[in-house]
Amino acid sequence: MINMCIISGNDRAKKATKLLKHINELKVIGLSAGHSRLSENMRSPLDDELATSSEAIYFDQYNPSFDLIKKAIQRSNHLFFSSIPSFTESELKQLINLSAEAESRTQIFIPQIFSSVNLNQIKRSHSPFLANIRVALKPEVEEEKTLEHILLFLTFLDHSELRKVETMTIPGQDGYSVIEIRLAFTSGSVARILLSNQIEDTNCGIEIFRQGSVVLKFQSENFEPKQLVEAEKNAVEHFIQSIRKNNSYCVGLQHLDQACQILRILKLRINDNGNFFSEKRQAV
């Protein structure tokens, strides 16, 4: 049995509590709720107490401070993030080194990896591969967040270093119409990512082509609430197996570090002012 605490951005953490109580290998021993981006850098005595008494921490839709994560890893806590955490480049490097020393395990929940259908496909995938990814851009879609998930999916799937990045944008009347990104990895894998407000939902998805194998198709967005709950449960179960040093799939800080590096390059290539998309867009 693994003792786990919940640190949540929700006042009652209903979703996290409901999810975790149905996993037999876990025992929820405490809850610290009601955090927000305004309070994330304020150290809570309760957070410190929970981190000290638990083996693992579940961060529920909340971006915890670097200091809290650093202290937790130094105590050899294992960390589960239900959303992608935000750290600077230097902070990530430091946390990766500390995690290796403390043998602290990390899991970042990415639906594109842990949804049940996609998980079965991942078991059949290996590099090198050719990935073809199509994303429909809509007013409610956060482009940078969408790309973060895709890049974490790719860095998890490939297990090698980035070799080359190419980008192209085609402006439309009301801003860009198409953004194409090509990534080449040292393994020989290549990924083509096409984002456009002219792509229909039915044409979205991820295709993985490999030599001597049928194409693997992955759902990339528009997950139903039931699918997301099941996917997160899968991610927690793999996290538990990782803690026990059994075979498992985990999206760790090293994957986040590489995805963030790629995202920084894309920002520079597409937009010199550092914002991912601005009012004026042009081909590069």
Side-chain angles (χ1 to χ4, degrees), residues 72-92:
I73 291 175
Q74 287 173 332
R75 295 186 180 108
S76 295
N77 286 107
H78 306 290
L79 311 176
F80 185 99
F81 297 95
S82 66
S83 58
I84 301 173
S86 177
F87 301 110
T88 66
E89 184 176 1
S90 61
E91 287 173 345
L92 258 179

Side-chain angles (χ1 to χ4, degrees), residues 242-255:
S242 176
I243 293 172
R244 292 176 172 166
K245 300 184 179 179
N246 295 330
N247 290 333
S248 59
Y249 294 137
C250 274
V251 183
L253 296 175
Q254 70 279 11
H255 297 111

Side-chain angles (χ1 to χ4, degrees), residues 123-140:
K123 295 174 183 176
R124 302 167 55 197
S125 180
H126 57 79
S127 57
F129 56 76
L130 170 64
N132 183 45
I133 302 170
R134 296 168 63 88
V135 178
L137 293 181
K138 304 173 184 177
E140 68 272 16

Side-chain angles (χ1 to χ4, degrees), residues 37 61-62 81-86 108-112 133 135-153 176 181 193 195 220-221 223 228 256 259-260 263 266-267 275-277:
R37 291 192 178 275
Q61 297 297 321
Y62 156 65
F81 297 95
S82 66
S83 58
I84 301 173
S86 177
I108 301 170
F109 172 51
I110 304 296
Q112 291 87 345
I133 302 170
V135 178
L137 293 181
K138 304 173 184 177
E140 68 272 16
V141 171
E142 296 180 38
E143 295 97 339
E144 188 168 333
K145 183 178 179 181
T146 298
L147 263 177
E148 278 185 316
H149 280 81
I150 290 172
L151 293 175
L152 276 167
F153 174 89
Y176 61 87
I181 299 166
I193 307 169
L195 304 97
S220 61
E221 53 188 312
F223 293 96
L228 289 173
L256 179 60
C260 288
L263 193 57
L266 293 175
K267 287 180 179 182
N275 295 321
F276 195 72
F277 299 125

Side-chain angles (χ1 to χ4, degrees), residues 117-118 121 206-208 215-219:
V117 174
N118 287 0
Q121 297 286 65
I206 300 173
E207 296 175 315
I208 301 292
V215 60
L216 300 177
K217 296 185 178 181
F218 297 81
Q219 183 178 355

Side-chain angles (χ1 to χ4, degrees), residues 22-39:
H22 291 297
I23 299 177
N24 295 329
E25 296 89 343
L26 289 179
K27 179 181 180 182
V28 177
I29 63 169
L31 167 67
S32 176
H35 293 278
S36 68
R37 291 192 178 275
L38 293 176
S39 65

